[in-house]
Amino acid sequence: MTKYRPLVFAHRGGADALPEHTLGAYLRALEEGADGLECDVRLTRDGHLVCVHDRRLDRTSNGRGLVSSKTLAELDALNFGSWHPGYPADEELTDFSRLLTLERLLDAVSATGRQVRLLIETKHPSRYGAEVERRLVRMLQRFGLTEPKPDDPVQVTVMSFAALALRRIRAQAPAVPTVYLMEFVPPGVGRGRLPFGARTAGPGVDLVRARPALLPAIRAAGHRTYVWTVNEPADLELVLRHRVDGVITDRPRFVLDHLDQL
């Protein structure tokens, strides 16, 4: 019998220990043994995909305003790491402070020489609407990632809370797997149905606690399950009891150590 072990994804690069969405955080997560990485993408005013979670810059940088209203050059001048308690004191360590573009992240994971699973979440609502997915598919095509094969070193999955975003990915890159993210249970999903060809459900761990029948129903319908954001021991035990396929966490080292002890 094959031993059960879920995939471990570093949420925003493992945002507990280091500044989120920085290249240094992502590379450290891979060095620690994470199976994959999770990132959020937004479009800049001049059409670049950047790895930033919030609509506004205030929380994770020394800038102000909307990400979507800034050019790449304007964002590249900001510090995206100094707010975090884990920010290294050496100001020369730009991998922990510089804005990370999706292109730069894809270059980095492609150069690691190991298999990396990358979960890319498109953030909506966005003033640019469907252009977010169009630009993403174009970027994935440049890297040869829209027709995945089992032995490809980099495997990309696109995620979104917006069902229409998944439909756009399905239409433009049908071979790219998708995850339907959930904070609550939309009509029909409680019986295991997922929208627009998604084969993986991505409920939050709070939802899993509140709806104990949800994961069994999704699994019974033949779908995979990736749960976010699993940071506490009790939550990890909960999702492991449900034998989820993927654990998305700010604390990848903690999850990996726990799995090693089982």
Side-chain angles (χ1 to χ4, degrees):
M1 182 175 178
T2 303
K3 183 179 178 181
Y4 162 68
R5 186 192 183 282
L7 298 169
V8 178
F9 296 96
H11 184 242
R12 307 181 199 171
D16 182 67
L18 291 168
E20 66 184 61
H21 285 125
T22 59
L23 184 59
Y26 283 114
L27 294 179
R28 174 170 161 174
L30 293 178
E31 289 172 1
E32 290 180 342
D35 300 291
L37 310 171
E38 184 271 351
C39 71
D40 307 289
V41 293
R42 293 184 177 276
L43 266 183
T44 65
R45 193 176 80 207
D46 49 349
H48 294 273
L49 288 164
V50 294
C51 301
V52 182
H53 176 270
D54 299 2
R55 295 175 64 245
R56 301 189 62 85
L57 293 161
D58 307 51
R59 180 179 67 86
T60 59
S61 82
N62 59 345
R64 296 290 184 270
L66 297 174
V67 175
S68 60
S69 69
K70 307 293 186 180
T71 65
L72 179 61
E74 290 170 330
L75 293 172
D76 204 33
L78 301 176
N79 186 309
F80 280 83
S82 59
W83 62 275
H84 194 282
Y87 178 63
D90 186 347
E91 293 183 3
E92 296 301 315
L93 296 175
T94 56
D95 281 352
F96 297 97
S97 62
R98 184 184 178 192
L99 172 79
L100 182 62
T101 64
L102 180 61
E103 181 178 24
R104 190 168 175 231
L105 179 58
L106 288 171
D107 278 332
V109 296
S110 299
T112 60
R114 55 157 287 190
Q115 188 170 69
V116 179
R117 298 172 182 266
L118 181 61
L119 306 179
I120 302 174
E121 180 187 344
T122 60
K123 302 300 291 185
H124 290 280
S126 165
R127 70 172 69 188
Y128 302 117
E131 187 64 15
V132 178
E133 282 72 39
R134 280 196 291 269
R135 296 273 180 158
L136 174 57
V137 170
R138 197 177 308 163
M139 177 73 68
L140 296 180
Q141 287 170 339
R142 280 182 49 204
F143 280 84
L145 297 172
T146 53
E147 297 290 340
K149 297 179 287 296
D151 58 347
D152 286 346
V154 179
Q155 301 275 344
V156 168
T157 296
V158 177
M159 311 193 298
S160 188
F161 289 96
L164 287 177
L166 301 185
R167 181 168 70 178
R168 291 192 284 263
I169 294 295
R170 175 84 168 174
Q172 298 172 54
V176 173
T178 54
V179 176
Y180 181 50
L181 296 170
M182 295 182 287
E183 286 187 284
F184 60 90
V185 181
V189 173
R191 295 186 293 277
R193 294 184 298 178
L194 299 179
F196 299 123
R199 300 295 297 166
T200 303
V205 71
D206 291 342
L207 181 58
V208 171
R209 284 198 302 267
R211 298 287 295 268
L214 178 62
L215 290 183
I218 291 169
R219 287 177 59 85
H223 300 310
R224 294 164 62 83
T225 52
Y226 290 171
V227 179
W228 55 274
T229 305
V230 182
N231 293 331
E232 301 303 324
D235 290 337
L236 181 56
E237 293 288 352
L238 172 64
V239 300
L240 293 180
R241 286 198 300 273
H242 281 288
R243 299 179 73 84
V244 300
D245 299 284
V247 176
I248 302 172
T249 177
D250 291 326
R251 303 173 64 195
R253 184 68 266 166
F254 154 70
V255 175
L256 291 164
D257 287 345
H258 185 89
L259 293 176
D260 288 342
Q261 294 168 11
L262 294 180

